[in-house]
Amino acid sequence: MGRHLIQTATSISSVGASGAFIAVVDDDVHIAQAIAMWLDTLGASSQVFGSGESLFASLAANKPTQNSPTEPPALKAAILDLNLPGSNGIEIAQRLRAFNPHLPIVLVSAVNVEDLPKFGTLPEGVRFFKKPFELEDLESALPLQQ
Amino acid sequence: MNNHTTLFVAAALYFILPLNVLWVLWTHKMPSIYYWCLGSICACFGVLLMGFRSHLPIFLTFHLANTLIMCCFIFWAQSLKLLLHKPWQPLTVIVLVSLAFVYYSIAYSYATPVSRGLAVRFSLGLLAVYVAWLSIAIYKKTKSHNALIIGFSYAITGIAFFAYLITANTTHEPSPFSHTWNASFLAITALLMAAAGHFSYVGMILDDTKLEQTQKKTEAYVISHFQQLKKKMASLETQHRLRLVAGSLAHELNQPLTVILTHSQIISRAIATQKAQAETLTVMLDKVAHNIHRVSSILDRIRMIHRAEPDPLTTININDCIETALDQLQDLIERHHIRIEWTPQKPSPDALGDSVQISQVLVNLCRNAVQALEGSATRELAIQTSTSDGLTTIQVRDTGPGMPFDPSQKLKEPFYQSSNQGLGMGLIISQMIIERHQGRMHFMNKPSGLTVSVDIPRQRVQA
C-alpha cells in the first residue's frame, strides 16, 4: 500500500511545465501528500520536498538563466513544516524572504505558537498554523484563484 | 616495701584485675578481652612461680615462669592486634608460645647465668615496646586516651627492662628480687602496668564501643536519608519523564491527525461540490484509514511501557528480538532502500528481559536510524551483538550524518523532536524500558553516523 501512495503523490505533485508551483516542505510524507492532493483539487500545481536543502537545490537547478530570461520565477508560495532534518522551517522562510520579500509563506507545526521563538524569529508576513489545521486557514494565506 | 612484696602485689593485681575486666565487659563478648585477661593471668602465675625459685623445681621457676611472662606479652599483643583488625592466626600464637619455651630451655642449658638473665630482659623489653607501639596505633585510630595511657605504661616498662640491661651487674646472675634500683624500677613498672593496663583497657574498649555505636548511628541516619532522597528523585524523574512522554505523544499524534483532518476536509468539499471521483475518494479514505492505524500504533507503543502487569523478566533470545523488530520494520526499510547488515550471532546471545519490550526498543532505534539515513548516499543500518560475563550488548549503527548534538543530553529537554516521526518519544520510551531492565543506553556520534549501544544484564542485578 505504501508504494501505491508514493506513486499517487508523485503523479499529482509533478510541476506543470508552464507554471509556477507551490512548494510543500514536510518530512512527514503523509502530510506532504495530503496537502499536495488538496492543492491539486484546487487546480494549483505543487511540489513536495523532504527538507529545505532539497527545495533550494531544486530552485537553483531551475533558476532563470540568461538564455531564457523570460522564464517566470518557479515558486509561487511555500508551505513549510517547522521540524525538519537540516534547516528548520523558520530558517527556510528567512532564506526564501531574502529571495522574494513578497512570497506568501505558511508555516505549519505541532509546536505551540509560544514555543516558536526557540526555533528563530518568524519573518514578517509569514503565517503560522498549528497542526492539525483547517484548510480554510491555509486557503486564506495562499494565492489560490478559484 | 621490698621488691618481693611489690611483685607479689603485682601478681595479685594480675589475678584480680582481669577478673574485674571480664566482669565489667561481660556483655561485650570480644575475643580481644579474653586474650587480654589470659595475658594477665599468665603474668600473675609467671611472677608467682618466679618468687618460689628456692622452693620449687627449676623447670617450674625458670622455664615455665619465664615462658608465662613472655606469653603475657604475646597475648596482650594479640588482644590489641584484634582491636586493630590485624590479629595473628591462632596457630601463630601457639607457635610463638612454643618458641618462647624452647628459647628459655636453650637459654637455661647453654648460656651463662649472667648472659641468660640479660637475654631474657632484652626479649621482654622488646615485647613491651611492641605492645606499647600497638596501643599507640589504636590511639591514632580511635583517639582514645585510654589507649595512650596503656601505651605509656608499657613503654615505661620497656625502658625499665633496657635500663636494667645497661646497668646490670655483669658478675652476678640478675634477679628481680635483688635490692638494686634497677630491679626496683622494674618491679614498680610491673605494678604500673597491672593497674594502668587494666583500667585503661576497660576504658579503651568502652571508647571503642561508643565510637562504633556512633558510627553505626550516623551510617544508619545517612543511609535512611539517602534512600528517602533517592525515592524522591526517582519519583521526580518519573514525573518528568511522563511529562516528556505526554508532550511528545501530543506532538506525535498531531501528525496523523493532521493527515486525517486534511483528507476528510478534502473529501467533504469534493462531495459538497459534487466533484468527487470514486477513485480519488478511495485513495483518500485509504489514507485516512492508514493514519488511524498509525494513531493506534502510537498508542500501543505508549501502552507498552505502562502495562499494568508487565511480563516478568526471563531469559530471552536476543536474535529472536532483532528478527521480530526487523519484521515489523520491513515495509519502512524497503521503502527507504536501506541495506541491513546483521549476522545473527551463534549461539544467540541471551539477556534477562521482556522480549516484547526489547523488540520495541530495537524498533525505535532502527526507526530513528532509518530517518537519519534519509538523504544519505550510503544507506546502511548495522546491528551487532556481543556478550560478556554479565552483559549482552546490542549496537545499532547507521551511516547517516549523526546527531548535531549529544542525544543523551537532549533527552532531558522537553519539546525536543528532531523529526516528525517522534524520535524524542521513541528514545524516551526506550530509555525507560532499558532502565526497567537495569541496563544502559550509550550514544556515540561518529563521523560515519550514530551508534546506539544497549547493555542488558544477563542475570539478576542486586539493587
Side-chain angles (χ1 to χ4, degrees):
Chain A
M1 174 169 159
R3 206 160 287 158
H4 171 70
L5 283 178
I6 300 279
Q7 280 163 1
T8 318
T10 319
S11 64
I12 58 166
S13 61
S14 57
V15 196
S18 59
F21 66 91
I22 297 176
V24 181
V25 187
D26 199 317
D27 63 337
D28 187 320
V29 72
H30 302 274
I31 293 184
Q33 282 167 13
I35 297 173
M37 272 179 132
W38 163 66
L39 290 171
D40 194 55
T41 62
L42 295 178
S45 58
S46 62
Q47 198 165 348
V48 170
F49 299 93
S51 67
E53 283 67 26
S54 56
L55 165 68
F56 289 117
S58 162
L59 288 180
N62 299 318
K63 197 162 58 175
T65 56
Q66 288 193 335
N67 296 341
S68 56
T70 53
E71 192 178 333
L75 204 58
K76 199 161 83 175
I79 302 174
L80 310 171
D81 182 26
L82 182 58
N83 277 302
L84 289 165
S87 315
N88 70 39
I90 291 184
E91 287 159 356
I92 299 169
Q94 286 163 349
R95 275 183 73 183
L96 287 175
R97 265 281 168 278
F99 278 136
N100 178 354
H102 306 293
L103 185 75
I105 302 174
V106 177
L107 191 70
V108 288
S109 171
V111 169
N112 287 323
V113 70
E114 58 267 25
D115 292 318
L116 280 183
K118 287 182 186 174
F119 297 85
T121 319
L122 207 60
E124 203 148 315
V126 174
R127 303 279 300 271
F128 171 76
F129 299 114
K130 189 170 162 17
K131 285 181 187 173
F133 44 78
E134 295 290 332
L135 290 179
E136 276 89 2
D137 291 335
L138 276 196
E139 259 170 45
S140 69
L142 293 172
L144 301 164
Q145 57 277 61
Q146 294 293 321
Chain B
M1 193 163 79
N2 61 26
N3 289 347
H4 244 101
T5 322
T6 311
L7 283 171
F8 276 114
V9 170
L13 287 179
Y14 279 123
F15 188 78
I16 298 162
L17 292 178
L19 293 181
N20 183 47
V21 169
L22 275 180
W23 172 257
V24 174
L25 300 176
W26 185 246
T27 50
H28 285 71
K29 310 239 181 273
M30 288 158 69
S32 165
I33 299 170
Y34 306 141
Y35 269 108
W36 189 264
C37 295
L38 192 63
S40 303
I41 298 292
C42 286
C44 160
F45 285 106
V47 172
L48 271 183
L49 283 173
M50 217 176 263
F52 288 104
R53 183 155 294 183
S54 43
H55 310 285
L56 290 173
I58 193 73
F59 172 74
L60 293 177
T61 56
F62 183 83
H63 295 63
L64 187 62
N66 278 307
T67 306
L68 281 172
I69 288 174
M70 190 168 274
C71 280
C72 74
F73 285 106
I74 293 172
F75 291 152
W76 286 331
Q78 170 74 336
S79 166
L80 298 180
K81 281 172 84 74
L82 273 163
L83 290 181
L84 286 167
H85 305 294
K86 287 186 276 192
W88 282 314
Q89 294 299 314
L91 189 69
T92 313
V93 175
I94 292 168
V95 169
L96 285 173
V97 170
S98 314
L99 278 178
F101 187 75
V102 172
Y103 172 68
Y104 288 115
S105 304
I106 293 173
Y108 189 78
S109 309
Y110 298 103
T112 63
V114 173
S115 58
R116 175 171 70 208
L118 296 180
V120 165
R121 278 157 188 78
F122 178 70
S123 52
L124 291 178
L126 279 184
L127 279 171
V129 170
Y130 180 54
V131 173
W133 180 71
L134 288 174
S135 311
I136 303 293
I138 291 178
Y139 165 72
K140 277 188 187 158
K141 208 173 118 186
T142 63
K143 299 283 168 238
S144 161
H145 291 287
N146 288 299
L148 202 59
I149 293 172
I150 297 179
F152 274 125
S153 58
Y154 278 75
I156 290 172
T157 310
I159 290 167
F161 273 118
F162 291 130
Y164 198 107
L165 268 184
I166 296 162
T167 58
N169 187 330
T170 47
T171 52
H172 290 85
E173 180 180 6
S175 159
F177 305 110
S178 61
H179 296 284
T180 51
W181 73 267
N182 46 19
S184 305
F185 182 30
L186 201 53
I188 289 167
T189 57
L191 209 59
L192 172 76
M193 228 163 48
H198 287 90
F199 288 116
S200 297
Y201 183 78
V202 172
M204 186 172 72
I205 293 291
L206 293 179
D207 285 348
D208 199 43
T209 317
K210 213 165 80 185
L211 190 76
E212 221 164 78
Q213 278 171 352
T214 317
Q215 270 173 353
K216 268 186 195 155
K217 260 190 211 163
T218 317
E219 241 166 60
Y221 178 80
V222 168
I223 287 173
S224 81
H225 271 246
F226 180 69
Q227 277 168 348
Q228 273 179 20
L229 212 68
K230 226 166 111 179
K231 262 189 209 162
K232 259 187 211 165
M233 273 175 69
S235 125
L236 278 177
E237 183 81 11
T238 313
Q239 282 177 25
H240 180 66
R241 287 275 175 74
L242 288 178
R243 264 205 306 278
L244 283 192
V245 170
S248 28
L249 175 67
H251 198 159
E252 195 166 342
L253 286 175
N254 255 325
Q255 304 297 120
L257 291 178
T258 303
V259 179
I260 293 167
L261 184 67
T262 307
H263 280 297
S264 55
Q265 288 179 89
I266 300 171
I267 294 167
S268 109
R269 282 169 183 219
I271 291 171
T273 53
Q274 297 186 333
K275 277 185 188 165
Q277 288 172 352
E279 201 189 327
T280 325
L281 284 187
T282 314
V283 170
M284 289 188 183
L285 285 172
D286 273 351
K287 293 198 166 205
V288 169
H290 175 80
N291 280 280
I292 288 173
H293 283 304
R294 225 172 120 193
V295 169
S296 127
S297 86
I298 292 167
L299 294 178
D300 277 346
R301 270 197 277 156
I302 285 290
R303 208 174 299 140
M304 189 84 73
I305 48 162
H306 288 294
R307 277 184 295 173
E309 283 175 32
D311 287 349
L313 302 184
T314 52
T315 300
I316 56 167
N317 182 317
I318 294 295
N319 282 351
D320 286 355
C321 293
I322 297 174
E323 216 159 296
T324 310
L326 291 179
D327 273 356
Q328 273 189 47
L329 292 167
Q330 201 181 356
D331 264 6
L332 187 79
I333 288 166
E334 276 177 16
R335 205 158 65 223
H336 287 78
H337 308 291
I338 286 166
R339 205 171 72 79
I340 299 288
E341 196 181 291
W342 174 53
T343 320
Q345 202 185 331
K346 293 259 161 72
S348 168
D350 58 3
L352 192 69
D354 176 337
S355 56
V356 179
Q357 288 194 330
I358 294 298
S359 297
Q360 185 59 50
V361 169
L362 290 169
V363 166
N364 289 341
L365 295 182
C366 290
R367 202 191 287 271
N368 289 342
V370 168
Q371 279 158 28
L373 288 171
E374 207 158 321
S376 283
T378 11
R379 297 186 172 194
E380 278 175 16
L381 198 170
I383 301 176
Q384 259 177 356
T385 52
S386 59
T387 46
S388 65
D389 278 351
L391 288 179
T392 287
T393 303
I394 312 172
Q395 279 198 339
V396 178
R397 201 177 63 239
D398 63 56
T399 52
M403 298 270 176
F405 43 74
D406 180 2
S408 54
Q409 282 305 308
K410 282 278 178 177
L411 273 180
K412 298 183 177 82
E413 290 175 19
F415 297 112
Y416 160 65
Q417 199 107 9
S418 103
S419 86
N420 285 334
Q421 306 285 326
L423 171 72
M425 190 166 83
L427 278 188
I428 293 165
I429 290 175
S430 302
Q431 190 101 348
M432 287 169 102
I433 291 176
I434 295 303
E435 268 167 30
R436 188 197 154 207
H437 285 73
Q438 297 186 298
R440 283 193 64 188
M441 260 168 93
H442 315 262
F443 300 87
M444 273 170 294
N445 241 341
K446 281 188 185 161
S448 58
L450 181 75
T451 305
V452 186
S453 304
V454 178
D455 294 337
I456 312 165
R458 299 173 67 192
Q459 287 100 25
R460 210 157 286 282
V461 180
Q462 293 302 315

